[in-house]
């Protein structure tokens, strides 16, 4: 993560982190603590990655709708990075908020490698319906590993994916 995420940066969330329960598990704090507001990231679409329920941003015509979270501190950034990396990386973007009246710098998590998008836009409702409960349990198990230095995180994640049936569809 770059210094752009700073100790009190703004975060734009567009995918699974829009789920308040998942956000709290990952961030270690409730979403409302970061004064969320509606925001849009223009020039991209939030799509499902092919054969998964994983969200991804695809550049091109469109707008990704999400939330802007304010005053995100260092401890939360550390937790977010643990959860998102290496599949995603922090990238500074300009988002529109307040009905388009304000343009704000924020950081969002962008796919680290090119992914093939599905034909469908990403849907929080679909994610919740298909794997939401299992994903919350998996996130809880993964975040419990955050400060562990005695394990192979890749192997632990593979075991979590298997245990909670999160394999690609």
């Amino acid at each position: 993560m770059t210094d752009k995420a700073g100790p009190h940066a703004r975060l734009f969330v567009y995918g699974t982190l829009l789920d308040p329960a998942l956000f709290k598990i990952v961030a270690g704090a409730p979403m409302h603590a970061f004064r969320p507001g509606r925001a849009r990231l223009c020039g991209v679409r939030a799509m499902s990655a092919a054969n998964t329920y994983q969200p991804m941003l695809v550049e091109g015509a469109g707008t990704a709708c999400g939330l802007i979270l304010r005053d995100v501190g260092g401890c939360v950034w550390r937790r977010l990075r643990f959860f998102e990396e290496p599949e995603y990386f922090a990238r500074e973007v300009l988002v529109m908020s307040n009905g388009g009246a304000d343009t704000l710098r924020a950081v969002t998590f962008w796919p680290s490698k090119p992914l093939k998008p599905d034909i469908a836009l990403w849907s929080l409702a679909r994610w919740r319906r298909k794997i939401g409960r299992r994903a919350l349990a998996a996130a809880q198990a993964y975040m419990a590993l955050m400060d562990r230095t005695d394990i192979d995180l890749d192997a632990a994640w593979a075991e979590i994916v298997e245990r909670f049936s999160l394999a690609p569809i």
Side-chain angles (χ1 to χ4, degrees):
M1 172 123 56
T2 67
D3 290 334
K4 294 173 189 167
H8 301 290
R10 295 179 194 102
L11 172 67
F12 174 73
V13 294
Y14 63 89
T16 58
L17 289 176
L18 286 171
D19 183 87
L22 181 69
F23 184 86
K24 185 174 182 179
I25 291 168
V26 173
M31 187 181 289
H32 67 80
F34 303 99
R35 301 179 294 125
R38 292 177 193 228
R40 297 175 299 157
L41 178 58
C42 297
V44 300
R45 294 180 318 279
M47 304 291 293
S48 292
N51 302 315
T52 74
Y53 299 105
Q54 178 179 348
M56 63 181 286
L57 292 174
V58 176
E59 293 187 89
T63 301
C65 295
L67 295 174
I68 186 85
L69 305 177
R70 296 163 176 86
D71 299 323
V72 178
C75 178
V76 174
W77 283 116
R78 186 170 163 268
R79 292 177 64 89
L80 288 164
R81 287 183 62 204
F82 177 78
F83 181 74
E84 294 286 1
E85 293 175 353
E87 288 82 14
Y88 294 83
F89 71 96
R91 178 174 172 181
E92 189 173 86
V93 294
L94 292 174
V95 297
M96 297 175 66
S97 69
N98 198 20
D102 297 326
T103 301
L104 304 170
R105 288 190 188 282
V107 172
T108 196
F109 286 95
W110 203 273
S112 295
K113 62 182 180 186
L115 299 172
K116 182 179 178 190
D118 197 352
I119 59 171
L121 292 174
W122 189 82
S123 163
L124 181 60
R126 180 175 179 244
W127 176 84
R128 283 177 173 154
R129 186 175 62 254
K130 296 292 188 176
I131 65 165
R133 287 185 182 161
R134 288 179 284 139
L136 292 175
Q140 189 90 36
Y142 186 68
M143 293 306 295
L145 304 175
M146 185 168 159
D147 290 318
R148 299 271 309 267
T149 58
D150 61 326
I151 59 170
D152 175 347
L153 280 175
D154 291 334
W157 176 244
E159 189 273 326
I160 289 169
V161 166
E162 178 75 21
R163 183 172 13 137
F164 294 102
S165 302
L166 297 179
I169 51 178

